[in-house]
């Protein structure tokens, strides 16, 4: 009748595997998984906790290798749910079962952390590493039938050790692509307008493995939801930028309304040039950059920028459905797209 007091612990001291087709080898370090259901004296309901950790991972697959050197972990906690309903969802999912609400007001917190990661793709001479990547998902009842929903993700020190041969992507490999990769980045995405009933139906669909019900758990009118961007930034050797905004979906030629703002840090100097002879094959990325501008000309220079400037980009989508305003000025829709 209840799952209160349930605790499941699974552990591996280490595993390895090897297969021939496709050629693949892997090792898994010490791994633990703990699932528990405990009574919550504050709410009179129950609390479900899931915690997993992996000491290390190494996987090779057809000339590609990914390695996680530092411990990685994931934790999920659901509070305010009915353990009797949880038992029905997990143990009594017969066809036609009408899943009741998990609880009056269910809160959710999930955290994931991936330790130092390295990867290598020898065929394209690419090697990369990341110090740490983290993610968080949280949803908290507000007490009036509404509920918060927020996702946060970040990555630290993403380095690219090698890139494609310059003969293949000159000059973009050394001039744009590698310096533009983030050394540090973070994104916080919130969703306002969700009700506690929406979150309960969403969690019920996931726990009962009824993935088709996830879309039905969201409000039928997308205009009720507002996307909130905040505390988001992107840093690389080429660019530093911070952005925020509030956007809402709607009907019409321009399907969003709201505001978006981006501010860059001091800009690095940039000059991009390319030379091609008529008899030299033109790389695909060069063709894409030059299409409709200069064709396959012998000399192309795309941009020159002085050092030290900052860029502020503000975009407003009027609620009345008019043309968007960029830095306070209305622009024709075709020019805005370009």
């Amino acid at each position: 009748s209840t799952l209160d007091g349930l605790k499941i612990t699974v552990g591996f001291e280490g595993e390895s595997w090897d297969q021939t087709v496709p050629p693949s080898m892997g090792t898994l370090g010490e791994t633990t998984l703990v699932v528990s259901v405990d009574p919550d004296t504050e709410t009179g309901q129950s609390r479900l906790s899931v915690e997993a950790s992996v000491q290390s991972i190494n996987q090779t697959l057809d000339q590609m290798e990914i390695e996680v050197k530092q411990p990685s972990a994931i934790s999920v906690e659901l509070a305010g749910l009915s353990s009797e309903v949880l038992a029905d969802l997990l143990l009594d999912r017969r066809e036609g079962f009408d899943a009741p609400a998990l609880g009056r007001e269910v809160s959710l917190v999930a955290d994931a952390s991936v330790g130092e990661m390295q990867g290598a793709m020898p065929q394209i001479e690419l090697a990369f590493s990341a110090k740490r990547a983290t993610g968080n998902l949280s949803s908290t009842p507000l007490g009036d039938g509404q509920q918060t929903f927020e996702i946060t993700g970040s990555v630290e020190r993403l380095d690219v050790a090698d890139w494609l041969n310059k003969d293949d992507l000159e000059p973009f490999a050394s001039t744009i692509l590698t310096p533009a990769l983030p050394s540090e980045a973070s994104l916080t995405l919130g969703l306002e307008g969700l009700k506690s009933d929406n979150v309960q139906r969403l969690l019920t669909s996931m726990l009962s493995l009824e993935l088709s019900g996830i879309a039905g758990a969201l409000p039928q009118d997308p205009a009720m939801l507002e996307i909130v961007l905040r505390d988001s930034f992107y840093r690389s050797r080429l660019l530093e930028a911070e952005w925020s905004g509030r956007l809402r979906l709607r009907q019409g030629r321009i399907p969003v309304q709201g505001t978006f703002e981006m501010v860059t840090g001091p800009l690095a100097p940039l000059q991009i040039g390319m030379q091609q002879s008529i008899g030299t094959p033109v790389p695909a990325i060069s063709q894409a950059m030059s299409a409709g501008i200069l064709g396959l000309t012998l000399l192309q220079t795309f941009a020159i920028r002085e050092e030290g400037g900052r860029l502020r980009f503000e975009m407003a989508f009027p609620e009345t459905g008019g043309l968007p305003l960029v830095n306070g000025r209305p622009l024709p829709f075709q020019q805005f797209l370009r």
Side-chain angles (χ1 to χ4, degrees):
S1 60
T2 178
L3 291 183
D4 284 346
L6 173 69
K7 185 173 184 179
I8 302 174
T9 302
V10 180
F12 296 97
E13 293 184 357
E15 297 293 335
S16 63
W17 53 90
D18 188 357
Q19 67 181 36
T20 305
V21 180
S24 172
M25 297 178 59
T27 58
L28 181 68
E30 182 179 354
T31 303
T32 60
L33 171 67
V34 179
V35 181
S36 60
V37 181
D38 301 301
D40 190 337
T41 56
E42 294 182 3
T43 64
Q45 300 289 89
S46 300
R47 184 183 301 267
L48 168 67
S49 301
V50 179
E51 296 184 3
S53 65
V54 179
Q55 188 68 24
S56 62
I57 302 174
N58 184 279
Q59 175 68 56
T60 63
L61 176 62
D62 193 18
Q63 310 245 344
M64 180 178 70
E65 181 176 0
I66 297 178
E67 181 179 9
V68 178
K69 293 184 176 182
Q70 300 296 330
S72 302
I74 181 172
S75 64
V76 180
E77 186 174 279
L78 287 174
L81 54 84
S82 167
S83 64
E84 290 85 355
V85 174
L86 182 63
D88 289 338
L89 290 175
L90 299 179
L91 307 176
D92 195 15
R93 289 177 16 247
R94 61 181 179 270
E95 185 177 356
F97 172 63
D98 186 14
L102 283 172
R104 293 188 300 272
E105 291 183 334
V106 180
S107 64
L108 164 67
V109 176
D111 292 287
S113 174
V114 179
E116 183 179 352
M117 180 175 62
Q118 292 185 347
M121 300 180 185
Q123 285 184 329
I124 60 174
E125 301 179 8
L126 172 63
F128 61 90
S129 65
K131 181 180 179 181
R132 182 169 296 276
T134 60
N136 172 270
L137 188 153
S138 62
S139 180
T140 306
L142 298 177
D144 56 354
Q146 304 294 316
Q147 188 142 347
T148 65
F149 195 89
E150 187 173 84
I151 300 175
T152 301
S154 63
V155 59
E156 301 177 22
R157 208 177 69 194
L158 178 61
D159 297 323
V160 177
D162 300 299
W163 190 249
L164 289 166
N165 190 301
K166 289 185 178 182
D167 294 336
D168 297 327
L169 282 177
E170 178 70 25
F172 301 101
S174 59
T175 307
I176 297 180
L177 296 181
T178 301
L181 291 174
S183 58
E184 188 179 11
S186 179
L187 172 67
T188 300
L189 178 66
L191 198 60
E192 294 185 358
L194 279 178
K195 296 183 180 297
S196 296
D197 291 342
N198 299 131
V199 177
Q200 288 180 20
R201 290 199 298 267
L202 181 64
L203 294 175
T204 298
S205 298
M206 296 176 64
L207 290 173
S208 61
L209 300 181
E210 295 291 341
L211 300 183
S212 59
I214 293 180
L218 298 176
Q220 298 300 316
D221 183 6
M224 297 176 60
L225 300 178
E226 187 170 26
I227 301 172
V228 181
L229 293 170
R230 62 179 183 83
D231 300 333
S232 302
F233 62 85
Y234 182 98
R235 298 190 181 105
S236 70
R237 285 184 292 166
L238 185 66
L239 176 67
E240 294 184 10
E242 300 178 359
W243 63 88
S244 61
R246 302 181 72 92
L247 299 171
R248 187 187 298 270
L249 298 177
R250 67 169 179 205
Q251 300 293 330
R253 182 179 64 173
I254 303 176
V256 294
Q257 70 182 59
T259 59
F260 175 82
E261 179 179 353
M262 182 180 71
V263 180
T264 70
L267 300 174
L270 177 65
Q271 180 172 350
I272 308 169
M274 179 174 61
Q275 292 184 357
Q276 294 289 346
S277 64
I278 298 299
T280 301
V282 180
I285 189 170
S286 303
Q287 296 182 33
M289 291 292 291
S290 62
I293 302 176
L294 296 176
L296 302 181
T297 57
L298 297 179
L299 176 63
Q300 302 172 30
T301 299
F302 295 108
I304 300 176
R305 187 174 64 203
E306 294 184 357
E307 184 176 4
R310 298 174 67 92
L311 173 68
R312 177 178 294 273
F313 179 79
E314 298 178 354
M315 181 179 295
F317 299 91
E319 185 175 354
T320 56
L323 294 176
L325 305 177
V326 178
N327 290 345
R329 300 179 57 187
L331 294 179
F333 191 62
Q334 293 81 0
Q335 182 178 353
F336 162 71
L337 289 179
R338 286 198 297 267

